[in-house]
């Protein structure tokens, strides 16, 4: 099995959901060839291969042999009792209720992922007490397997902004708890770079870069899932975001997550090259002294 190195802020991580139409093993070669060194995977990626008879050790071995580190299992979506009672955004209620902590964390541990993410797509938010209790339970379960846990806030969900996510993480009080910072979610939620500048860098466990026009679409859910742009292609201050993350001491590698329907007919290698080219260019601009 190939040895993998510790990732740095200069490394790229494939956030897999936008390319989930391609089976997991098909993603490895093109993204590794494009210069990615990490991959965030979904539990269904692993379960599909296990159903075909491949062991978790074999799956982990194939990923490592491609030179990729599994940074994250994406995601738990039913980690509060509230989520079993309320409807979920995007008509995903039944599917999301299957994504409970126990199987997701166990799957992450089987393949050697470093962390597990948590989302809340509830139409109505839970109380802070309930969210903190649920996240603390998730963090404790993850810690039992040596994993970190992080909340990915979404403006279309129940935990909608950086500030809301931070309050849950801080109230939970777990050392392995943190946040996934997705550029689209960050800017579309109205979160600010000034707020981010006050966050401890170690609280940001994962970063997902993309871009978008300056003004939001009337249908946020549609924009979220179909119309994000490559980093540097839009009008969001993604350079400022990178600079702020660097300034607070965030050590998470640069994840890339671009949902856009124009990719639906593109070869995977072309998608990988586009993501790598645009993200490396943006990082270089952000990190070049004025």
């Amino acid at each position: 099995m190939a040895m993998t190195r510790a990732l740095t802020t200069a490394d790229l991580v494939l956030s897999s959901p936008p390319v989930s139409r391609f089976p997991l093993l098909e993603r490895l070669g093109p993204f590794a060839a494009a210069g990615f060194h990490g991959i965030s995977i979904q539990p269904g990626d692993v379960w599909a291969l296990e159903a075909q008879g491949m062991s978790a050790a074999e799956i982990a071995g194939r990923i490592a042999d491609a030179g990729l580190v599994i940074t994250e299992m994406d995601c738990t979506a039913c980690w509060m009792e509230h989520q079993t009672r309320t409807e979920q955004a995007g008509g995903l209620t039944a599917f999301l209720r299957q994504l409970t902590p126990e199987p997701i964390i166990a799957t992450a541990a089987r393949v050697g992922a470093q962390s597990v993410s948590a989302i809340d797509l509830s139409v109505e938010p839970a109380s802070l007490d309930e969210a903190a209790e649920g996240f603390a339970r998730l963090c404790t379960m993850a810690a039992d397997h040596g994993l970190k846990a992080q909340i990915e806030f979404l403006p279309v969900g129940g935990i909608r902004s950086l500030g809301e996510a931070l309050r849950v993480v801080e109230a939970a009080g777990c050392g392995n708890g943190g946040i996934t910072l997705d550029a689209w979610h960050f800017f579309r939620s109205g979160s600010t770079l000034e707020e981010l500048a006050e966050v401890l860098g170690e609280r940001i466990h994962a970063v997902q870069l993309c871009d978008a026009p300056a003004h939001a679409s009337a249908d946020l859910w549609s924009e979220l899932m179909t119309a994000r742009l490559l980093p540097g292609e839009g009008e969001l201050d993604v350079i400022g975001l990178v600079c702020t993350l660097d300034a607070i001491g965030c050590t998470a590698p640069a994840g890339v997550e671009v949902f856009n329907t124009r990719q639906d007919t593109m070869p995977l290698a072309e998608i990988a090259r586009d993501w790598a080219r645009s993200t490396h260019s943006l990082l270089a601009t952000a990190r070049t002294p004025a």
Side-chain angles (χ1 to χ4, degrees):
M1 181 181 299
M3 296 295 292
T4 54
R5 61 179 176 83
L7 300 187
T8 73
T9 56
D11 287 312
L12 302 187
V13 173
L14 160 62
S15 184
S16 283
V19 292
S20 59
R21 65 187 172 96
F22 298 97
L24 173 59
L25 298 183
E26 292 182 15
R27 299 171 212 158
L28 306 182
F31 276 89
F36 285 73
H37 291 97
I39 184 170
S40 168
I41 66 175
Q42 298 167 279
D45 293 329
V46 178
W47 296 340
L49 291 171
E50 289 179 328
Q52 296 169 24
M54 184 175 287
S55 70
E58 290 176 291
I59 297 167
R62 291 285 296 274
I63 294 171
D65 286 343
L68 299 171
V69 176
I70 307 174
T71 58
E72 180 181 44
M73 184 63 66
D74 181 4
C75 61
T76 58
C78 191
W79 46 279
M80 293 183 276
E81 198 276 334
H82 167 82
Q83 292 164 323
T84 69
R85 303 191 310 267
T86 186
E87 291 301 304
Q88 308 290 305
L92 298 172
T93 299
F95 171 70
L96 294 175
R97 285 179 182 169
Q98 301 173 40
L99 301 179
T100 56
E102 291 84 354
I104 307 304
I105 291 172
T107 303
R110 282 201 303 276
V111 296
Q114 297 177 340
S115 67
V116 60
S117 64
I119 63 171
D120 180 21
L121 280 174
S122 304
V123 174
E124 297 295 332
S127 69
L128 176 60
D129 285 346
E130 182 180 349
E133 180 180 353
F135 189 59
R137 177 174 174 267
L138 175 67
C139 287
T140 299
M141 294 173 61
D144 288 342
H145 296 278
L147 304 175
K148 292 181 178 181
Q150 57 263 5
I151 293 174
E152 181 175 356
F153 60 90
L154 306 93
V156 295
I159 300 176
R160 294 170 290 222
S161 67
L162 174 65
E164 290 180 12
L166 277 173
R167 285 192 284 275
V168 175
V169 171
E170 290 168 357
C174 298
N176 66 329
I179 289 172
T180 293
L181 197 151
D182 176 292
W184 189 92
H185 301 324
F186 179 83
F187 288 107
R188 288 298 189 242
S189 70
S191 301
T192 68
L193 297 180
E194 289 75 19
E195 289 178 281
L196 180 60
E198 299 300 318
V199 178
L200 291 174
E202 64 191 30
R203 281 298 195 195
I204 309 300
H205 289 181
V207 172
Q208 296 172 349
L209 299 179
C210 63
D211 212 329
H215 300 291
S217 164
D219 185 343
L220 270 186
W221 182 262
S222 177
E223 183 182 317
L224 161 68
M225 297 303 297
T226 67
R228 300 197 215 184
L229 303 176
L230 297 171
E233 188 179 27
E235 298 170 288
L236 303 182
D237 189 8
V238 187
I239 289 176
L241 181 66
V242 171
C243 290
T244 305
L245 288 168
D246 287 350
I248 64 174
C250 172
T251 59
V256 191
E257 184 175 77
V258 183
F259 287 93
N260 192 300
T261 52
R262 71 186 179 195
Q263 297 170 160
D264 289 351
T265 58
M266 289 173 59
L268 189 57
E270 184 178 353
I271 296 171
R273 289 192 297 270
D274 282 352
W275 287 20
R277 173 189 47 77
S278 62
T279 307
H280 277 311
S281 176
L282 182 134
L283 293 176
T285 300
R287 291 168 176 160
T288 298

